[in-house]
Amino acid sequence: MLGLIAYLRNGSSQTNQAFLFACTSLSLWIVTGGYMTNLFAPFLPNLTFWSRATIFLAILLTMSFFYIGVVFPKSKAKLTWFQRLWLLIGLILLLLIPTNLFIKKAFVENNAVNFTDGPLQPILASWIVISTLFFFYIVTKKYRQSKGLAKTQFKYFFLGMFLFIGIGVITNVIIADFFGSEAFLNFGLYASIFFVGFTSYAIIVHRLLDIRLIIVRSVAYFITLGLLIFSYVLITFSLTSRYRGFTSQNLIDTATLVFLIALFNPLKNIIDKGTDKLFYRGKYDFDLLLEKINEIVINNPRNVNKLTLNIIDAYIKNIRVKRGAFIILSSPKIENVTAVNYPKDVSFWQELINKTHKIKNILVYDELADDNELKPLLRKNNISVLLPILTERHIEGTLALGEKRSGDTYSVQDLRLLELTSNQIALAIENARLYKQQKEVAYFNKSLADIDTVIHSTLDYEDILYETLNRAVEAMKCEVAGINIKKDDIWTRALRGLPLTSVGVQLTQEKQLIASLVEKAKEAVVINDTSKDIRVDKSLVERYGIKSIMVIPLIIKDKNEGLLFFNYHSKTVTFSNSQIDFATKLSYSISLAYENAELYNALKETGGREAG
């Protein structure tokens, strides 16, 4: 049945053809071998014929297993000249089976089947043993070279074949032919249970031969049919016994049959659901889930956190994964993490993002080669699927999903759904980010306008600095903002915020944090994480507990005469383009205010001297 289903699924596949051939040979071999070794009466008059038929089927089975080993898991495969020659030898042996060269006579002695061997029986036994060794060699080599899902399918499918062939060859060939004992022939037949059991497991759990759904539906159908037949027998027997003489048997049979026919579909639906839970636990409506993701995207156009959290929740409930996380990126830096049953700490994800932020293809843990450098990292972080969320222009982020609750690997349908929804999610994240940027730009423009109003309201530079820094701290939501002005090689600081407040403190050149760097660059210097940036003075960073810093030069009379800086002490931050733009424009206003104040003071001094 398994072989026929696989063949009907894809008859052009050499693997499926070989599997049908093997299953057919195995079934016939079990029937003839079982009846023969257990002395089934109709077989006894022609015991020699049936013994030769059993050997014939054993050769067919050996050839088909050898062929499966060569072609699996490909649909099309070319055999080498040696493999063709070896199968040709098997075909010649098949043609010689009807002769006396292998079995001269089969007879019953001491309640067991015995044989008089022909002259070529050792050659036949040697061919089967060597074929088995070749099969083991080919399969072991392929198993080592395989990866991911194919490797898992190999493991269970060929484990069943190893046990069956190994036990069969030992009991039915080596012991029977080389040691002359037929006492263990039945054990070779019983060993077929291993092949059927492991193959069924590989089909149902690991999608071997891509016929899992057909098998599951067949199981449900036969269970339903069996229950109805049992119910028919039980109901008709009970009614006949109870109402014998009151009604005809035909009426009871007809009424019971009509009742059970009406019951067939509801009963089958119930059993379908039960087998789905047992064998097909990852089932969901593909189109319905796709529509739900689309609905989430439409309903959350401006809130990235809510958008990503709802999508993770949809994956967890429908694909039934244990955990999920969206890592939103700004270039290679992590901007935000939304996670369910994963850590939300940026440091947990940083190593992974550093190694994968340029990868634009989906990564599936089960499909990675064992020597892939990312596999240990995915295993350590309990990640089964890593999907880049990207638009045509750049990567917006990464989706990480854990293992499925059922223990199944991700199906082709799962991966297709994730890839289809990734572009839609990427566009939604990009739009939400653009909206956030527009909102942020409007916010900083208003803050800058308020500060400019303060700057132009007075020519007292100390008042300007005091009020400007207060409003800048509020706008940037930082702990400390400061302005350092260099005059006669001495830096004068104006500082607002935590942990201290001071105006007019003089600092020597060597005590500036990154003043020299800004002076050389003549542009904004942004350091999102001071602990990982070699440009900063580590001793000063540790002393003041600075975690993130942005410094902008103050260009006064076309010279770099000062700097504006913003410090974050409680946490590291990733400075946005809007923040950098705000700080840069603010530096222009402060520089202009300084020039105006200097000019005003100079005119004031000149006027005082002239009056004196």
Side-chain angles (χ1 to χ4, degrees), residues 33-151:
Y35 281 140
M36 181 194 69
T37 55
N38 290 286
L39 304 178
F40 185 55
F43 276 41
L44 296 180
N46 299 298
L47 194 57
T48 300
F49 168 80
W50 289 110
S51 299
R52 288 173 177 172
T54 303
I55 298 298
F56 181 89
L57 292 169
I59 296 173
L60 277 180
L61 190 59
T62 304
M63 291 174 66
S64 59
F65 276 9
F66 179 83
Y67 187 61
I68 288 176
V70 171
V71 301
F72 185 86
K74 298 178 181 178
S75 297
K76 301 288 183 183
K78 289 185 178 180
L79 277 65
T80 65
W81 67 269
F82 177 77
Q83 291 165 349
R84 292 175 182 274
L85 177 62
W86 196 254
L87 289 174
L88 180 62
I89 293 172
L91 184 61
I92 293 171
L93 293 174
L94 279 177
L95 297 175
L96 295 176
I97 286 296
T99 68
N100 292 327
L101 294 174
F102 302 115
I103 295 179
K104 289 183 178 180
K105 185 180 179 181
F107 56 94
V108 178
E109 185 177 290
N110 297 327
N111 243 7
V113 177
N114 286 274
F115 307 103
T116 301
D117 293 338
L120 296 186
Q121 183 63 19
I123 294 177
L124 173 60
S126 299
W127 180 85
I128 292 176
V129 171
I130 295 171
S131 295
T132 303
L133 294 176
F134 277 148
F135 170 80
F136 287 168
Y137 169 75
I138 293 169
V139 168
T140 302
K141 184 178 179 181
K142 283 191 173 185
Y143 176 76
R144 289 177 176 175
Q145 293 174 346
S146 64
K147 60 182 181 180
L149 181 60
K151 191 161 193 170

Side-chain angles (χ1 to χ4, degrees), residues 315 325-329 353 356-364 385-391 394-401 415 418-427 429:
Y315 289 149
F326 270 104
I327 303 95
I328 308 301
L329 303 179
I353 295 302
T356 61
H357 72 274
K358 291 184 179 180
I359 296 175
K360 295 186 178 181
N361 298 317
I362 188 170
L363 295 177
V364 183
V385 171
L386 198 69
L387 177 69
I389 306 298
L390 50 90
T391 60
H394 52 79
I395 296 176
E396 295 290 339
T398 298
L399 170 65
L401 294 175
L415 300 178
L418 293 174
E419 289 181 327
L420 280 175
T421 55
S422 67
N423 292 333
Q424 193 178 16
I425 295 167
L427 287 172
I429 292 173

Side-chain angles (χ1 to χ4, degrees), residues 476 524 526 550 552 575-585:
M476 292 288 285
V526 177
M550 175 166 57
I552 305 93
F575 289 98
S576 67
N577 291 333
S578 300
Q579 287 176 305
I580 297 170
D581 183 64
F582 166 78
T584 302
K585 289 177 179 177

Side-chain angles (χ1 to χ4, degrees), residues 143-391:
Y143 176 76
R144 289 177 176 175
Q145 293 174 346
S146 64
K147 60 182 181 180
L149 181 60
K151 191 161 193 170
T152 305
Q153 292 175 341
F154 256 115
K155 181 169 64 177
Y156 290 104
F157 182 44
F158 285 113
L159 178 59
M161 295 183 80
F162 273 129
L163 291 172
F164 167 57
I165 295 172
I167 294 172
V169 168
I170 291 171
T171 58
N172 291 43
V173 178
I174 296 175
I175 294 177
D177 291 328
F178 293 105
F179 294 96
S181 174
E182 282 78 25
F184 300 96
L185 292 178
N186 275 334
F187 286 97
L189 301 175
Y190 302 150
S192 62
I193 295 172
F194 292 113
F195 172 68
V196 174
F198 280 104
T199 301
S200 299
Y201 180 81
I203 288 170
I204 291 173
V205 177
H206 298 292
R207 309 192 303 278
L208 177 68
L209 304 176
D210 199 25
I211 59 172
R212 175 166 96 163
L213 181 60
I214 300 173
I215 295 298
V216 171
R217 287 292 169 262
S218 299
V219 169
Y221 180 83
F222 283 116
I223 290 174
T224 306
L225 197 59
L227 285 174
L228 290 177
I229 292 171
F230 175 77
S231 300
Y232 176 80
V233 173
L234 182 64
I235 292 171
T236 53
F237 177 77
S238 300
L239 292 177
T240 302
S241 301
R242 186 177 181 85
Y243 298 106
R244 183 175 296 164
F246 293 98
T247 186
S248 67
Q249 183 66 46
N250 287 339
L251 181 59
I252 291 174
D253 291 346
T254 304
T256 304
L257 194 59
V258 170
F259 170 72
L260 292 178
I261 289 174
L263 192 63
F264 179 82
N265 282 330
L267 182 61
K268 185 174 180 298
N269 289 336
I270 293 171
I271 294 172
D272 277 343
K273 290 179 181 178
T275 52
D276 283 346
K277 289 180 180 179
L278 181 62
F279 299 124
Y280 208 56
R281 290 167 285 184
K283 183 188 175 185
Y284 56 88
D285 190 312
F286 182 92
D287 293 329
L288 193 62
L289 182 53
L290 202 60
E291 185 180 329
K292 185 172 184 177
I293 298 296
N294 183 56
E295 188 178 315
I296 292 171
V297 169
I298 292 171
N299 292 336
N300 299 277
R302 297 176 178 178
N303 191 323
V304 174
N305 286 338
K306 191 175 180 182
L307 168 73
T308 51
L309 189 61
N310 287 343
I311 290 173
I312 292 171
D313 186 60
Y315 289 149
I316 287 176
K317 288 180 179 177
N318 291 274
I319 304 180
R320 298 187 177 102
V321 297
K322 289 186 177 180
R323 54 184 68 87
F326 270 104
I327 303 95
I328 308 301
L329 303 179
S330 178
S331 298
K333 300 292 183 180
I334 296 176
E335 182 179 304
N336 184 49
V337 176
T338 306
V340 176
N341 299 328
Y342 270 126
K344 296 178 182 178
D345 186 12
V346 170
S347 60
F348 176 84
W349 300 99
Q350 196 62 64
E351 181 185 3
L352 180 72
I353 295 302
N354 288 343
K355 292 185 177 181
T356 61
H357 72 274
K358 291 184 179 180
I359 296 175
K360 295 186 178 181
N361 298 317
I362 188 170
L363 295 177
V364 183
Y365 176 83
D366 287 329
E367 295 179 4
L368 293 177
D370 287 340
D371 58 353
N372 191 303
E373 65 172 349
L374 294 175
K375 194 157 191 175
L377 187 58
L378 295 179
R379 186 189 302 118
K380 183 180 77 172
N381 292 348
N382 293 318
I383 296 171
S384 296
V385 171
L386 198 69
L387 177 69
I389 306 298
L390 50 90
T391 60

